[in-house]
Amino acid sequence: MSQEDSFLYDSFPDGFLWGVGTSAFQIEGGTKDGGRGASIWDTFCLKSSNIIDKSNGDVTCDSYHKYEEDIKLVKELGVNFYRFSISWSRVIPDATGSGEVNPVGVQYYNNLIDGLLAVGIMPVATLYHMDLPQCIDDEGGFLNESLLIDTFTKYADVCFKEFGDRVKYWITFNEPKIIVTLSYGNGYFPPGIKSPFEGVYQAAHNLLKAHASAWHLYDTSYRNTQNGKCFISLNSAFFIPKDPNCPEDVETTELAHQFTTGWFAHPIFIDGDYPPIMKTKIGELSKKEGREKSRLPVFTEEEKRFIKGTSDFLGFNFYTSTLVSAPDNDMPPDIQYDVNILAKYTVDPSWKQMSLFFLNIVPHGLRGMMNWINKEYNSVPVFLTETGFSNSTGTTDDPDRVQFFKSYINELLKAVKLDGCNVIAFTAWTLLDNFEWVFGYTCKFGLASVDFESEEKRRTPKKSFYYYSKLIKNNGFTDISE
Ligand code: BGC
């Protein structure tokens, strides 16, 4: 990776896919409209101290009513696809009771999908983007294995049946690691459970089975007639040894990768089971804690066979990088899942940060991450499902975001062209400034700003919107004057 500082003027392979993404709870609003049921985020926002600016997702960009404007914007951007997510509670409001399909909810997504196709944009649909129906959480959420698998599979079935004639790319879960570590580890996300040593592993275990169940359903009942793809979207920082000449740092860095990407990707893409190093380490820690059994749940042989091979691509969200070193002493007790990894995380002081303070801007990390994945998982096709930049204002004059996309996508180009990584798609996060989870409206990731004060939630493209649009038109960087 010696060419990290030079800029590569070249284009992406023909057929490379460009897109932009959003998620239902972050942009739709209309939380009480059209018979939608409650989600865990509706409930979580009721306690205003949970969200930094005491806001909520009740209206946000109002895409529930303004989806036609979103389609126009997406069209103007010139992408090949629009990645959106389906709100489970809108489609099946009473998921644990009657399980009835809500025709108004289905109609909303039909309108969106048809509107996209009418202007030549491919819909890419995520089934689950952080917004569990409240009724499922009331009965244990991701910790209730049979309920999660059963309700998620039924929900996936409804979506494949209703939309699969037109949606050819399905993402089951967005960012399993974030779901389980924030919702069941440190409790920052709803339902706010703090169980960083056990709950996280159980929730991940159940999620993997629910994912596999949905994939098998697609594979056996829909693939033949619908001819689409179904995959999961993982996420990780790129981990870099703080001292590449220190074997402990290098070893701990690998541990961090295995406990993050490997946690989900190893079962799916390698052998149906967790990475061996993860099993060993958690086994050792569990023994030290005086437990009889490992805190990491165990898959049966049948379950391993069921999980292995259940993703047509590796979906991946990528934002940042972190330096890793071996801890000097035993790690202090903390409520973070990361304690399980026994790694120390730091940043290079030269790295700039986004307004989300834990996101460091490290373009070559993307190239490094793609190479790590390519090697680890046998050149699996990677569908990048998110990369983006946050600042604190919605200003349309956003040179930092332009620079972000330019530098990250250029490093991606190097991964593809110089290193032979099998990356097939890039998705900019996100179309609109929107509800950024616990950060409310204080963090803006949009290529277009939204005037949240205005009745019509006016959308205005930023400079980065036009920059990305041009990059797509050129399929990369062919213009030396850029
Ligand atoms: C999530 C998005 C979020 C973005 C920026 C990802 O973790 O999938 O919903 O807006 O990161 O924080």
Side-chain angles (χ1 to χ4, degrees), residues 259-298:
F259 270 68
T260 306
T261 304
W263 192 3
F264 301 93
H266 197 281
I268 295 174
F269 295 100
I270 305 276
D271 61 4
D273 202 0
Y274 297 115
I277 188 73
M278 206 174 164
K279 294 199 288 187
T280 308
K281 287 283 173 194
I282 302 171
E284 284 169 8
L285 284 173
S286 304
K287 213 176 247 163
K288 231 170 144 186
E289 292 155 14
R291 296 170 195 260
E292 280 184 7
K293 273 194 341 195
S294 173
R295 294 192 269 102
L296 187 68
V298 176

Side-chain angles (χ1 to χ4, degrees), residues 26 129-130 174-175 317 319 356 386 429 436-437 445:
Q26 293 181 275
H129 201 119
M130 320 278 190
N174 178 70
E175 298 194 347
N317 294 351
Y319 289 86
L356 269 192
E386 282 182 32
W429 187 265
E436 180 50 41
W437 309 116
F445 275 91

Side-chain angles (χ1 to χ4, degrees), residues 83 126 128-130 171-183 186 189 204 207-208 231-239 255-266 268-269 278 311 313-322 337-338 341 345 356 358-359 365-366 369-370 372-373 377 382-388 427 429 436-437 445:
R83 176 188 178 216
T126 308
Y128 186 84
H129 201 119
M130 320 278 190
I171 296 162
T172 55
F173 288 96
N174 178 70
E175 298 194 347
K177 167 150 195 248
I178 295 295
I179 298 172
V180 302
T181 55
L182 270 63
S183 297
N186 58 25
F189 275 17
L207 185 154
L208 276 163
F231 56 107
I232 195 164
S233 273
L234 309 181
N235 73 289
S236 178
F238 183 55
F239 299 113
L255 208 59
H257 277 301
Q258 294 298 347
F259 270 68
T260 306
T261 304
W263 192 3
F264 301 93
H266 197 281
I268 295 174
F269 295 100
M278 206 174 164
S311 195
F313 307 131
L314 171 47
F316 208 79
N317 294 351
F318 183 83
Y319 289 86
T320 191
S321 298
T322 308
Y337 163 79
D338 287 345
I341 306 168
Y345 299 109
L356 269 192
F358 50 85
L359 296 180
L366 177 52
M369 191 75 229
M370 293 302 99
W372 188 88
I373 288 174
Y377 304 114
V382 176
F383 193 118
L384 279 171
T385 38
E386 282 182 32
T387 293
T427 314
W429 187 265
E436 180 50 41
W437 309 116
F445 275 91

Side-chain angles (χ1 to χ4, degrees), residues 157-217:
D157 194 26
V158 169
C159 292
F160 298 152
K161 196 176 289 155
E162 297 286 348
F163 312 123
D165 55 335
R166 290 151 294 150
V167 173
K168 301 301 166 196
Y169 291 90
W170 291 103
I171 296 162
T172 55
F173 288 96
N174 178 70
E175 298 194 347
K177 167 150 195 248
I178 295 295
I179 298 172
V180 302
T181 55
L182 270 63
S183 297
Y184 299 92
N186 58 25
Y188 294 169
F189 275 17
I193 291 172
K194 293 189 175 74
S195 179
F197 304 118
E198 290 164 307
V200 281
Y201 291 118
Q202 194 57 55
H205 207 65
N206 300 343
L207 185 154
L208 276 163
K209 292 186 200 179
H211 154 78
S213 171
W215 185 89
H216 280 291
L217 172 69

Side-chain angles (χ1 to χ4, degrees), residues 262-450:
W263 192 3
F264 301 93
H266 197 281
I268 295 174
F269 295 100
I270 305 276
D271 61 4
D273 202 0
Y274 297 115
I277 188 73
M278 206 174 164
K279 294 199 288 187
T280 308
K281 287 283 173 194
I282 302 171
E284 284 169 8
L285 284 173
S286 304
K287 213 176 247 163
K288 231 170 144 186
E289 292 155 14
R291 296 170 195 260
E292 280 184 7
K293 273 194 341 195
S294 173
R295 294 192 269 102
L296 187 68
V298 176
F299 289 120
T300 64
E301 290 307 314
E302 196 184 334
E303 286 168 345
K304 288 182 201 169
R305 280 194 296 276
F306 188 68
I307 291 170
K308 183 183 166 187
T310 56
S311 195
D312 299 330
F313 307 131
L314 171 47
F316 208 79
N317 294 351
F318 183 83
Y319 289 86
T320 191
S321 298
T322 308
L323 296 179
V324 179
S325 46
D328 314 325
N329 302 304
D330 270 0
M331 298 287 282
D334 196 334
I335 55 153
Q336 300 282 347
Y337 163 79
D338 287 345
V339 171
N340 291 290
I341 306 168
L342 299 175
K344 197 164 137 196
Y345 299 109
T346 48
V347 295
D348 182 320
S350 73
W351 291 345
K352 288 193 185 135
Q353 287 173 338
M354 304 185 204
S355 72
L356 269 192
F357 60 91
F358 50 85
L359 296 180
N360 311 302
I361 303 169
V362 189
H364 69 268
L366 177 52
R367 183 179 181 187
M369 191 75 229
M370 293 302 99
N371 273 276
W372 188 88
I373 288 174
N374 200 51
K375 188 155 163 249
E376 188 72 13
Y377 304 114
N378 282 322
S379 300
V380 61
V382 176
F383 193 118
L384 279 171
T385 38
E386 282 182 32
T387 293
F389 171 89
S390 80
N391 56 5
S392 52
T393 73
T395 174
T396 53
D397 185 12
D398 60 342
D400 293 347
R401 186 171 287 101
V402 169
Q403 183 52 32
F404 173 90
F405 280 114
K406 184 174 178 178
S407 58
Y408 269 60
I409 296 174
N410 201 254
E411 290 298 323
L412 179 64
L413 181 64
K414 292 178 193 170
V416 173
K417 279 289 179 94
L418 306 181
D419 311 334
C421 294
N422 190 7
V423 186
I424 59 170
F426 178 87
T427 314
W429 187 265
T430 176
L431 181 66
L432 306 167
D433 288 341
N434 61 39
F435 179 77
E436 180 50 41
W437 309 116
V438 293
F439 297 97
Y441 298 92
T442 63
C443 265
K444 320 276 191 189
F445 275 91
L447 291 175
S449 72
V450 175

